[in-house]
Structures are given as C-alpha cells and as structure tokens.
Amino acid sequence: MRLLVLDFLFKQQAAVSLNDLEAAFHRADRITLYRTLKTFEEKGLVHSIVDGTGSVKYARCEEGCECAPEDLHVHFHCNLCNETYCLPKARIPEIALPENFKTEEISLIMKGTCASCS
Amino acid sequence: MRLLVLDFLFKQQAAVSLNDLEAAFHRADRITLYRTLKTFEEKGLVHSIVDGTGSVKYARCEEGCECAPEDLHVHFHCNLCNETYCLPKARIPEIALPENFKTEEISLIMKGTCASCS
DNA sequence: TCTTTGCCTGCAACTGCATTGCAATGTTTA
DNA sequence: TAAACATTGCAATGCAGTTGCAGGCAAAGA
Ligand SMILES: [Mn+2]
Ligand SMILES: [Mn+2]
Ligand SMILES: [Zn+2]
Ligand SMILES: [Zn+2]
C-alpha cells in the first residue's frame, strides 16, 4: 500500500490532499491513507502544505531536502483549477523581523491563477 | 454586541480566534461572535489569518488598509505563547514566479519565538 | 401611535477534516 | 513454530466552521 502511495505521490505535478488520495485508491481505507501520509511526513519523504483551503496538501520533498529553512520554497494555489503547486525555484527571501523574534519555520502561500489556467 | 467586539478587537496586541472571543464574551453566543467577525471582515475592518494552527485568527486592519497586495504584511506565530501577531512593518517582498502565474493574494506566516517569550 | 419591515441574536443541527482506540490481519524475527 | 512487531480497516470522536429558522428589537412608514 505504502509503495503504491509513494509511487503515486512522486508522479504528481500538484500537491495531493487526503481526498485526492482516497479518490485515486478507492479500495484502500481512508485512515490507512491518512496514516501513510503522516508516516511519510515524519520520515521526511513528503512535506505538508496548509494552503487555507481547509484540507492539508502533501507533496514530495526534493532530493536531499531536510525541510530546513534553507530548503523552503513558495507554494502557489490556483483559484481556478484549485491545485496547489510547489515552486522550488521560488525561494523565500530573508525577512527583517523586529528585535528578538526567532524564526523556526516559514510558510509562504501565494494564490491566483496558475500557468495552465491563464 | 458588535461595538463591544470591535472595541475588544482594537485593543488586542495579538490576533484573536473565535475561541478567544468566546472566552472574552462568555455571555454572547458563539454564532453571534462568528457572524460578527465575518461581517467585520467583509466590511474591511479586520483581516483573517490562517496560521496553520487549525483556528483562524482575526486582527484589525491598519488605517486605510484595502487588504490589497500592497497592504500585505507578515504574520508571526509564537510556538511558546501560542499567539499570532501582525508585523505591519515586515512587508512581503516581491517574489519572482514562473511565466504566466498571476498573483492575487499572498500569505506569509513565520513561526518561532516572539520577543516576549525569548 | 400603530404597524410593517428589516436587522440582530440565539438555538439547533449539520458538514468536513483530522484524529484516536481497538481488533484483525499480515510479516518479521527468535 | 511461536512470539513480537507492523500494517490495515472499522468505528467513534473532536473540533472548527457553517447554515436554517424563529424570536426579539429597533428603525421607518402609515
Ligand atoms: Mn512544496
Ligand atoms: Mn495582520
Ligand atoms: Zn490553475
Ligand atoms: Zn510568544
């Protein structure tokens, strides 16, 4: 099961929600798929994306990704096709914070119209 | 009711969730508070923040804010005190996107330790 | 003043996503 | 083979967000 899911995830262009997975593997139990995603995330195979649509998306991590701040990239959610894409080439720039703020994670979500939809 | 909530919101340093409001106005109904926030957001008095904690936060808009891309600022979620702050002085820099991506909204959430907690 | 109209509020119910407990099944290891 | 461990499926639960409906209140009109 996990191998099938991993294969599926690595073939996707866009990030995948639990519902997407369920639709692709209608013979597998929703909970199994849920735990599979959690396991993959824990092991650093995928990263999760909270894009504000209400359902968390998952996408594979780049080769050698540690999910560290320097590995972070922008995510883009298209309001037309409703897909969320990783933009690994759009790195998140340094942000100047007020005194004594210590950053551990950054999430940058852009919304609009993707290339396929425009 | 709305006047009380508006006054409360404008006094806060950190963004406020529906649960926060409910705790502050335990005599008011949860739904009324919910709809009050929605109304304020619709009228441009507050903006909502999806910080990935599972509950949406609300904070007042700056004077003259149109919630347009140029009004956008960074939000910071402290993992210790669990508060989410607006950082209106930390503007979101321009991000270079691939060809044909059109941006309508940007959300930049930073997580870490805030000044009060460090 | 009396009535109509529209807005505000509260209760109840419902949705959808995420999460956990537990038992059954399957797989590895001693 | 037997024990230990990992994976899966079912059921149930929690929680944030959302909607329908009806009563109450207050402004606007007759
Ligand atoms: Mn990504
Ligand atoms: Mn803000
Ligand atoms: Zn699109
Ligand atoms: Zn803090």
Side-chain angles (χ1 to χ4, degrees), chain A residues 65-104:
Chain A
C65 165
E66 307 278 347
C67 285
E70 63 268 19
D71 292 319
L72 292 176
H73 52 263
V74 173
H75 291 112
F76 189 95
H77 176 78
C78 175
N79 292 324
L80 291 181
C81 63
N82 224 30
E83 300 279 11
T84 298
Y85 299 96
C86 292
L87 298 181
K89 286 172 187 159
R91 285 300 163 95
I92 300 180
E94 289 262 331
I95 311 276
L97 289 187
E99 196 81 20
N100 287 326
F101 279 74
K102 284 171 201 134
T103 309
E104 285 156 20

Side-chain angles (χ1 to χ4, degrees), chain A residues 49-51 72-77 84-87 90-93 95 105-111, chain B residues 74 92-95 97 103 105-110:
Chain A
I49 308 161
V50 179
D51 59 12
L72 292 176
H73 52 263
V74 173
H75 291 112
F76 189 95
H77 176 78
T84 298
Y85 299 96
C86 292
L87 298 181
R91 285 300 163 95
I92 300 180
I95 311 276
E105 305 165 58
I106 310 181
S107 135
L108 202 166
I109 313 282
M110 308 184 77
K111 300 196 183 187
Chain B
V74 172
I92 299 180
E94 290 262 332
I95 312 276
L97 290 187
T103 309
E105 306 165 58
I106 309 180
S107 138
L108 202 165
I109 312 284
M110 309 185 77

